[in-house]
Each structure stands twice: as structure tokens, then as C-alpha cells.
């Protein structure tokens, strides 16, 4: 059950961080304005809060593992939001990052 909770929190964190960064990007680069930028900043702040809810208590481990989720999530976000078409190397790289995330977070440590 802890793994399900952890994975769900990683997914929520990804939506908030990637979505927040995308909103800021849209606000600045696509000239959509301060409302988009402000919404992005709020989402990024919420991401920071959600990361603290992980059952694992080590900041370094949680943030390092989240990096793998961020890589894969960014590619998925680009596909949905911007029509990005990943090639096989993008997909392979994202899978390697997710495998790294699983090792960092969920490998048995004998504790």
C-alpha cells in the first residue's frame, strides 16, 4: 500500500511541477500573461508541498527518485499538451529514468 501511495504522490507532484513550469512557459514565451505565470508559480509551490508527503523521509532520495518521474512525465506532458512526438531514444531514456526511480525508492535496504 505504501508503494501505491508513493507512486500516486509522484504522479501528483509531476502534474503540479510540469504543469506549473508549462504554465510559466506559456505565460512568458507565448505571451499569455501574468495570470498564467501566477497559476504556474502556485502549482510549483504546491509541488514542493506534495513532495513532503512521501512516506520515505530522506529528502535526497525522494528528490533524486522524482527526477526519473519528471523526465518521463515531461515527455508525456509534451505529447498531450504540445503534440510532441518522442522518438525511440526519448522513450528508452524515460524508461531508464523510471527504472532508476524504482531502484532508488523501492529497492530492499534491509531496514
Amino acid at each position: 500500500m505504501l508503494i501505491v501511495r508513493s507512486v500516486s504522490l509522484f504522479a501528483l507532484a509531476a502534474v503540479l511541477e510540469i504543469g506549473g513550469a508549462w504554465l510559466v512557459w506559456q505565460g512568458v514565451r507565448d505571451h499569455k500573461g501574468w495570470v498564467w505565470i501566477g497559476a504556474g508559480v502556485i502549482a510549483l509551490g504546491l509541488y514542493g508541498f506534495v513532495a513532503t508527503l512521501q512516506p520515505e523521509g530522506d529528502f535526497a532520495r525522494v528528490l533524486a527518485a522524482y527526477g526519473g518521474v519528471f523526465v518521463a512525465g515531461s515527455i508525456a506532458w509534451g505529447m498531450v499538451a504540445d503534440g510532441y512526438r518522442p522518438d525511440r531514444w526519448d522513450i528508452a531514456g524515460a524508461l531508464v529514468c523510471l527504472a532508476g526511480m524504482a531502484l532508488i525508492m523501492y529497492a530492499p535496504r534491509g531496514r
Side-chain angles (χ1 to χ4, degrees):
M1 193 60 155
L2 282 179
I3 291 176
V4 171
R5 178 174 179 229
S6 176
V7 169
S8 298
L9 287 169
F10 275 134
L12 178 58
V15 168
L16 291 168
E17 187 184 21
I18 298 163
W22 184 81
L23 286 167
V24 171
W25 180 281
Q26 294 295 309
V28 174
R29 299 270 309 225
D30 291 344
H31 310 287
K32 293 194 176 177
W34 287 104
V35 171
W36 285 66
I37 295 168
V41 168
I42 291 167
L44 288 166
L46 289 171
Y47 149 74
F49 176 75
V50 167
T52 70
L53 302 176
Q54 278 291 340
E56 169 63 46
D58 294 318
F59 174 82
R61 184 170 291 142
V62 169
L63 268 286
Y66 174 69
V69 176
F70 179 81
V71 170
S74 295
I75 290 172
W77 188 282
M79 291 170 62
V80 172
D82 292 328
Y84 177 70
R85 298 282 185 244
D87 63 21
R88 66 181 176 199
W89 300 111
D90 294 326
I91 293 168
L95 291 173
V96 167
C97 290
L98 289 173
M101 180 277 292
L103 282 173
I104 291 168
M105 283 299 290
Y106 310 122
R109 290 192 159 76
R111 294 193 242 175

